Amino acid sequence: VIKCKAAVAWEAGKPLSIEEVEVAPPKAHEVRIKIVATAVCHTDAYTLSGADPEGCFPVILGHEGAGIVESVGEGVTKVKKGDTVIPLYIPQCGECKFCKNPKTNLCQKIRITQGKGVMPDGTSRFTCKGKQIYHFMGTSTFSEYTVVADISVAKIDAAAPLDKVCLLGCGISTGYGAAVNTAKVEPGSTCAVFGLGGVGLAVIMGCKIAGASRIIGIDINKDKYAKAKEFGATECISPQDSKKPIQEVLVEMTDGGVDYSFECIGNVGVMRAALEACHKGWGISVIVGVAAAGQEISTRPFQLVTGRTWKGTAFGGWKSVDNVPKLVTEYMSKKIKVDEFVTHVLPFDKINEAFELMHSGK
């Protein structure tokens, strides 16, 4: 058993608490990882807020991390002690019907136990003050050591800077893949990206790499426009600058609508606007943001009858074990940006400040 520091969420709506936790050794087909760096994501904040129906407490949150394998359990063959890795919240077992189908990346092998906050055998590897602590998204990267299933880990280039590539564990990969895998953006096309946070910037990057000629960023926070343009946005607009609904503004700006739109916020009203901003006959709108539990989307069916397509994406459609190492290689060869997504670097015990910075849009 390893004793180390972790940020424990004891209950919903309260700040994280830095505690000493015990991390049990990995069982069969499990891997124990020394986490070197982790990022914070709105999904962590969503669960911490208490709005997540799958949220269980006390829990160690975090799902954008990178580290070094400390030890492996019986039967683990894909990684060994000392390997550099990224934990994966969408695993890839290679055996279930989802993994065998090229149309999806949603491996279901450990979905049920992962959703309940436990390892595949139904138990936790974390204890603190004599209490069992739940796992989160199969990763729990807000801990100096974590234990994950062996299908939830990608071995990456040992030379990669872990304080940067940890971001490929969720946000950047999600946005980039939404553009290149899910929407399949084509050269010369016009795109609209709603929400210019980390995921939205990654979508813009993907649209640009795919050859889009016009990329319109949409956000009410104008402080985000300069960064969006650095990533490839050709122009940025705020829905608050017009009396007309934003979809009407976009339809007028683009002679009938955009070819591709992306909702990167998790707001069902914006999801409708993103669909209705698409061009009749061929427009494709991708939902990337995760809406709160119980919310529903709506539009007039005529929008779809007249040739628009509504799609969604999880982790950008990447089959995780196969593709995360390739994304790291793309970063190392400067094909995709990662460093530019980092705004602040904080010591682990300032993790609550990181959440405050995220909530304030900084």
Side-chain angles (χ1 to χ4, degrees):
V1 174
I2 289 177
K3 288 186 177 179
C4 68
K5 279 197 301 189
V8 177
W10 287 106
E11 53 184 301
K14 294 277 171 67
L16 302 177
S17 176
I18 301 290
E19 306 280 4
E20 184 181 77
V21 298
E22 291 89 43
V23 184
K27 295 189 183 178
H29 295 288
E30 295 177 3
V31 179
R32 187 160 60 182
I33 302 167
K34 178 181 169 61
I35 297 289
V36 173
T38 186
V40 296
C41 170
H42 275 283
T43 309
D44 303 307
Y46 169 61
T47 298
L48 185 58
S49 75
D52 180 355
E54 271 197 346
C56 6
F57 295 88
V59 63
I60 295 172
L61 299 169
H63 63 284
E64 286 185 332
I68 311 289
V69 174
E70 178 274 331
S71 59
V72 300
E74 190 189 330
V76 175
T77 55
K78 300 273 172 67
V79 293
K80 63 184 185 305
K81 183 179 175 166
D83 282 349
T84 306
V85 293
I86 290 177
L88 308 167
Y89 70 90
I90 293 183
Q92 186 187 350
C93 71
E95 296 165 357
C96 70
K97 69 179 181 181
F98 287 78
C99 281
K100 287 179 172 167
N101 191 323
K103 293 176 182 174
T104 185
N105 63 329
L106 297 176
C107 172
Q108 297 295 294
K109 181 84 179 265
I110 59 173
R111 177 74 199 90
I112 291 165
T113 49
Q114 182 173 316
K116 288 178 179 164
V118 290
M119 295 299 291
D121 73 346
T123 63
S124 167
R125 300 292 161 269
F126 298 120
T127 49
C128 180
K129 298 177 179 172
K131 283 192 178 140
Q132 172 182 287
I133 308 291
Y134 287 109
H135 293 251
F136 177 66
M137 290 176 75
T139 52
S140 289
T141 60
F142 293 172
S143 174
E144 291 179 320
Y145 288 86
T146 190
V147 180
V148 305
D150 62 353
I151 58 172
S152 302
V153 65
K155 182 182 170 183
I156 61 161
D157 183 341
L162 301 186
D163 60 334
K164 304 295 192 296
V165 296
C166 61
L167 292 167
L168 293 169
C170 178
I172 298 178
S173 305
T174 297
Y176 176 46
V180 300
N181 297 330
T182 310
K184 297 185 168 62
V185 170
E186 294 170 318
S189 55
T190 298
C191 302
V193 181
F194 292 77
L196 302 176
V199 174
L201 294 175
V203 171
I204 289 171
M205 176 175 76
C207 292
K208 185 181 180 184
I209 289 170
S213 59
R214 193 173 177 192
I215 303 168
I216 304 164
I218 301 123
D219 203 299
I220 56 176
N221 182 350
K222 294 186 177 180
D223 295 341
K224 301 200 168 210
Y225 293 179
K227 190 68 125 168
K229 286 174 180 169
E230 274 175 45
F231 276 84
T234 51
E235 64 226 273
C236 294
I237 58 173
S238 168
Q240 295 175 337
D241 285 354
S242 170
K243 293 205 167 67
K244 292 180 183 166
I246 187 69
Q247 52 266 55
E248 286 180 30
V249 174
L250 286 160
V251 166
E252 281 172 20
M253 282 172 68
T254 56
D255 184 30
V258 300
D259 303 309
Y260 302 96
S261 71
F262 302 86
E263 197 281 352
C264 308
I265 302 162
N267 178 308
V268 293
V270 178
M271 291 172 189
R272 177 173 190 159
L275 176 78
E276 295 177 0
C278 284
H279 203 289
K280 184 190 278 189
W282 62 77
I284 293 173
S285 186
V286 181
I287 294 173
V288 193
V290 177
Q295 296 198 318
E296 298 181 351
I297 47 172
S298 62
T299 188
R300 291 185 305 125
F302 194 67
Q303 293 283 340
L304 301 176
V305 170
T306 50
R308 292 169 195 83
T309 303
W310 222 345
K311 303 180 83 166
T313 190
F315 196 54
W318 301 107
K319 286 195 183 271
S320 58
V321 174
D322 291 346
N323 287 293
V324 168
K326 291 177 186 167
L327 290 166
V328 170
T329 302
E330 285 192 6
Y331 158 65
M332 301 289 276
S333 61
K334 298 196 163 43
K335 185 189 170 187
I336 61 171
K337 296 179 196 278
V338 174
D339 297 16
E340 293 82 355
F341 285 88
V342 179
T343 56
H344 298 75
V345 178
L346 299 166
F348 186 38
D349 53 16
K350 298 254 177 87
I351 191 162
N352 288 308
E353 277 181 40
F355 276 85
E356 285 162 26
L357 287 161
M358 178 172 65
H359 285 307
S360 64
K362 291 175 181 156

